[in-house]
Structures are given as C-alpha cells and as structure tokens.
Amino acid sequence: MKLQTNSKGLQGTLKILGDKSISHRSIMFASIAEGASEIHNFLRAKDCLSTLNAFKALGGKIKDTGDVIYVYGTGFQGLKKPSAPLDMGNSGTTTRLLSGILAGCNFEVTLFGDESLSKRPMNRVMLPLREMGVAGHGVHDTEFLPLTIYGTKNLKPINYQMPVASAQVKSALLFAALQAQGESVILEKEATRNHTEEMTQQFGGEIAVCGKELRLTGPQMLKGQKIVVPGDISSAAFFMVAGLIVPNSKITLKNVGLNKTRTGIIDVIKAMGGKITIAPYKDQRTGNITVETSELKATAVGGEITPQLIDELPIIALLATQAQGVTVIKDAEELKVKETNRIDAVTCELQKLGADITPTDDGLVIRGKTKLHGGKVTSAGDHRIGMMLQTAALLVQGGQVELERSEAINISFPTFFESLAKLEV
Ligand code: S3P
C-alpha cells in the first residue's frame, strides 16, 4: 500500500488498545483458574485471537460478548485434548506460554504456525520442559514448528538458570512449575516483563520474587478474577516517536500501561532530550503520556534496560535517525529471533529510505540526523517493522513510500492507520 507521507503535524489524543502480552495471559490464567473470570479491554488483534481460539479448542468455556470476555475455568485438569492440531498463527507468545501449560496435561498436542513462526527457536522452552519430564519434538526432530508436546501429570520442579533474557521462556516455566510437585527456582539472565508473576499473584497464587530469582512451589490452584487490560506501551511507542519527530506535533496517549518492566522507551526518550510527560492515573498502573516535537540527541542503549524495550527497538532506531550524533544499540541479539531478524530488517528497510544505519552482532549503530526519502519497503511480515516504516514515511517530503505486506500490522494493532488519521492536522 501507499503510505501517508510528509505529515504537517500530529495533534490530539488517542486511547491506546489493550496490551498484547497481558491479553494473551488473561485468557491463559482465566482458563487454568477455577471459577469465573471476566476480561475487559482484551486486545482483538490476530496474535491474541490465536490464544483465544487455542483455548476454545482445548475445551475452554469462553463467552465472548464483543465487549467483555467471560471465561469459566475448571483448572489445569479441565483442559481437554483438542480434536486437531492447534494454529498458533504468528504468535510466539501463544506457542511458548502454551507449551508450559500443556506440559502438565496428560495428552498429545501438535502446535503449528505461519512461515515466520515456523522458523523461530523452540528449544529455549523445550529443553527446560524436558528436564521437567515433558516429551516433545519439532518437525523432523528439529526444534521448529509443527511441535508435538506430550505432557505429563508427574511434572518435576526445575532449578534453572536461564541462558536467554526471555519473558516467554520464563512464563512457560512458571506455568509448568504451577503444575509440578515441589519448588522450582528460576534465575533470569536479565529481568524481563513480569506480567506472569503479577498475574499469578492476582489469581491467588504464590510466587516469591527476589531480584532475578523466582521461587514457586507447585501444585497450585488459581481462582478466577476480573481483569482490566491496560493499554499497550509497545503500541503507544509508534505514536510517541511520531509525536517527537514529526514537526508541529503534540499528542497525548491515554490509558498506557506503565509497568516498570516495560517503560524502557520512556527512559531512552528522556536521555535523548525528548519532550515527554507522564501523568499516572490513581491506580499507578496506567496513565497518559504526552509528547511533542523535540530536538533530539543521540544516546546509548544496552545492558539491563534492553529487555524493558526489546519490542520498541525498531521504532527507537527510527527515532535515532532524527537525533544529532551516533546512537549505539547493543546487547540486543534477541532481535535476531523475533518475527523477522529485526537487526537485518530495520537496517535494510531504513537504508532504502536514506537512513545511515549499520548492523552489528548485537544491535545497531545509527548516525543522525538524516533526511529520509521515498522508496519501496516491506514489513517482511513483521507488524512492528510495518508500523515503524509508516512512522518513517511521515517524514518523507516530495516522495512516496510504498509498503509491501502492510497487513502484518493487524497482528498487534488493527486500528493503527485509523488512529494515525485521527491525529493528522
Ligand atoms: C513477550 C515477550 C518478549 C516480546 C514479545 C512478548 C511476552 O519476547 O518480544 O513480543 O509477552 O512474554 P521474548 O520472551 O522472546 O523476549
């Protein structure tokens, strides 16, 4: 599709859609808990619908009124063998977290997904799950989807030092640990998003968190809850950056989740001299974020902040093209195993628009400030690459940006283009 270019400015307010990570987990926790749960502000995007449909196929009693989703959970033991392999679509979160849930179910299930998901590594979850007693293998004995999992009622607890910083792996192991007999201890490489820990507690479970060490004794029974999903800071990020780099802009993003393990992008924007204000609501979990057009300077991104902004790195790379100086992003090798290899995809697509950007083994080096020009680019099937490129296109004067595979944006933000149109002056 032809993208909107040369924006005259973005003004106004936008309510941000529900958080993707929390929407997935809300269906999962509600399904494995006992009793009724209700989920408000669920993200109706392709990825989260993969989770919803998977739990329906596992026998979940789920009533979707379009506004609220009601789930009548009957515990882990209420899950039933599905009649066919489960379609994970594009969703790594569904696949990996579900693997941890299926670990304790006494039946065989096969998970399959789209082309991108079928190339993503699953040994990071299957190796520790095997230690807990699960059998399973990917297609032709590789680690890749289609993945068949044979759960067991006799899951062993695990003592595991994680080799990668991954909330998906951590969460899979916590779901398995909730079903195992005894205490599991998980040591994170770096602290990653803590939604699974928070929701375990919200659903009445017990988990001890001491820095990067987590302790959970199973088996545990969880109880149904009411969940209100906060807005997704990872979706808000595209508009935060647009508001900072498009001339004549000032926008307020409402209902943004402010969980401390997700707000790394705010720190980066502040370090770059961006004009940003955060106004938390009474609950302190959500708030308004206001940004306006700013003169930006380069910064360094790396170390323990990386997992707190891992999904925002493509849009941070674009931000850096509009900052004076050299921005270095490091410790981000995980970008290579996202929906695309995001180090390569960001480099290749932004270079087509004139950015000065060099890939490294674990990140990117970006020299700014550069004027971007038109070109033919592709999301390569990656939603965040697609949204980053539309944000870049807003800066292009006197040229056209054509985006191939723009439909990938529906994976996490089905109303992205409408939201942008609302802010146009
Ligand atoms: C997610 C964790 C992150 C993130 C993904 C969502 C989650 O993945 O990139 O979009 O909901 O747990 P990793 O665990 O692979 O880093």
Side-chain angles (χ1 to χ4, degrees), residues 20-21 25 93 96 124 165-168 193 310-311 334 338 384:
K20 179 159 91 68
S21 291
R25 286 162 173 80
T93 308
R96 297 198 178 113
R124 49 182 54 206
S166 164
Q168 292 179 354
R193 66 192 67 194
I310 190 74
D311 289 342
E334 276 296 299
K338 296 295 178 191
R384 300 199 200 280

Side-chain angles (χ1 to χ4, degrees), residues 100 118 131 153 155 162 223 242 299 351 388:
S118 304
E131 278 184 40
K153 282 272 164 264
L155 271 185
M162 291 183 45
K223 278 212 196 81
T299 189
Q351 277 178 350
M388 180 275 286

Side-chain angles (χ1 to χ4, degrees), residues 26 41 50 82 96 141 164 187 213 233 256 278 309 341 403 408:
S26 65
N41 202 35
S50 294
R96 297 198 178 113
D141 273 331
V164 285
L187 186 65
E213 189 189 86
I233 191 165
V256 185
I278 318 297
L309 44 68
N341 176 334
L403 176 66

